[in-house]
Every structure is written in C-alpha cells, then in structure tokens.
Amino acid sequence: MVRTLAVLLCLSAAGLRAADSASTPVGRWRTFDDKIAGKAKAIIVLYEEKGLLFGRVETLVDPDAVKICDKCSDERKGQAVTGMVVVRRMKKDGDEYNGGDILDPKNGSVYRCKMRLVDQGRKLSVRGYIGFSLFGRSQTWVRDDSGGQKHE
C-alpha cells in the first residue's frame, strides 16, 4: 500500500511538471536558423526574474556562429555570445509574452520581440521586429530536454 502510494505521488508530480512546462516558456530551447531549414544554432535558457522573462545563450550549437558580439552597439559589445543575455524584459500578456527585446548577435541588432508557446508547449514561436510586428522575422524554437548536456 505504501509503495503504491509512493508510485502514485511520483507519477502525479511528474505529470504536474510536464503540465507546468507546457504552460511556461521557462526552460531550455534549441534555436534554428530561420534561413536554413533544420540548422540548429544555439541552446537558449529562458528564466524569470522579478516577473519578467529573460534568455541567455547556454551553448552555441552551430560551429559557424558568431562567438563574440563585435557588432553589438550596447553594453554587450565585445562580449562572448555564450553566456550572453539575448532576450530581455518580456512580460506575460495573456497567452503571449511581449514588451521586451531580442538581440541577433550576428548583426548586433536589437529587435522588439513577442513569443507564444505552441504545440502544447513543445515549441515557442519567436518574432523579432522593428516598429510593427509586420516588419520582422520569425523563428520556431524547440524545447530541449537533453538535461543540460553540452552540444558543442
């Protein structure tokens, strides 16, 4: 009886974690090149701080990726891309996150950003834009459940 109860509690907790990860973008995400289908670029860790969503580069997957942000024009200029915060100050607004910005280290540009979980939280639709959302580009990030293993 005690063993059955313990198993049920473990399964229940696992189910809650799975449901929770489907409702929040917090976690590890594999990014892909929006110009070359299927080409993985990086692992980004999204985290909450003071009610806002941020994201930092954990690992560069693409061996051709920019390693130092020489084209950045803000405080990130000259910094290593690995470890860099590239998503800043995103606010939850219904089923979307917006109001923050996202950096493209390749060209140093900072874009307004909006994000939305799709496919039961397994994917994240990310749109960076200037001015209106109509003028921008989109990527789909895939939740990375590899447990923090290095991908270089």
Side-chain angles (χ1 to χ4, degrees):
M1 177 78 160
V2 172
R3 178 183 274 182
T4 303
L5 183 59
V7 169
L8 287 174
L9 284 173
C10 287
L11 290 174
S12 177
L16 287 174
R17 277 193 303 272
D20 192 39
S21 71
S23 66
T24 177
V26 170
R28 300 173 80 246
W29 295 92
R30 183 175 293 267
T31 69
F32 295 89
D33 193 312
D34 53 327
K35 295 181 172 101
I36 303 172
K39 183 176 183 181
K41 299 291 283 179
I43 302 296
I44 305 291
V45 175
L46 294 180
Y47 60 94
E48 279 190 30
E49 187 174 290
K50 297 180 183 175
L52 300 175
L53 190 68
F54 292 83
R56 71 172 169 72
V57 178
E58 179 180 87
T59 305
L60 294 173
V61 178
D62 180 3
D64 299 324
V66 172
K67 308 281 191 274
I68 302 292
C69 197
D70 290 329
K71 295 185 179 179
C72 287
S73 59
D74 60 14
E75 71 279 359
R76 296 172 282 195
K77 183 172 183 64
Q79 289 186 13
V81 174
T82 301
M84 179 180 288
V85 175
V86 294
V87 175
R88 302 184 301 187
R89 299 181 303 275
M90 302 293 292
K91 294 177 234 160
K92 185 166 178 53
D93 182 16
D95 63 349
E96 185 175 275
Y97 288 79
N98 57 44
D101 58 50
I102 189 166
L103 167 74
D104 181 348
K106 187 173 185 178
N107 62 24
S109 296
V110 178
Y111 302 96
R112 293 175 64 190
C113 184
K114 65 181 184 176
M115 301 175 167
R116 177 184 305 259
L117 287 165
V118 294
D119 196 16
Q120 288 83 42
R122 291 187 291 264
K123 295 181 181 175
L124 186 66
S125 175
V126 179
R127 181 146 184 90
Y129 58 96
I130 297 172
F132 298 101
S133 179
L134 182 64
F135 304 109
R137 58 188 231 227
S138 296
Q139 294 182 337
T140 299
W141 297 0
V142 176
R143 197 174 290 275
D144 186 88
D145 295 322
S146 64
Q149 299 168 359
K150 292 288 183 188
H151 298 276
E152 294 182 297

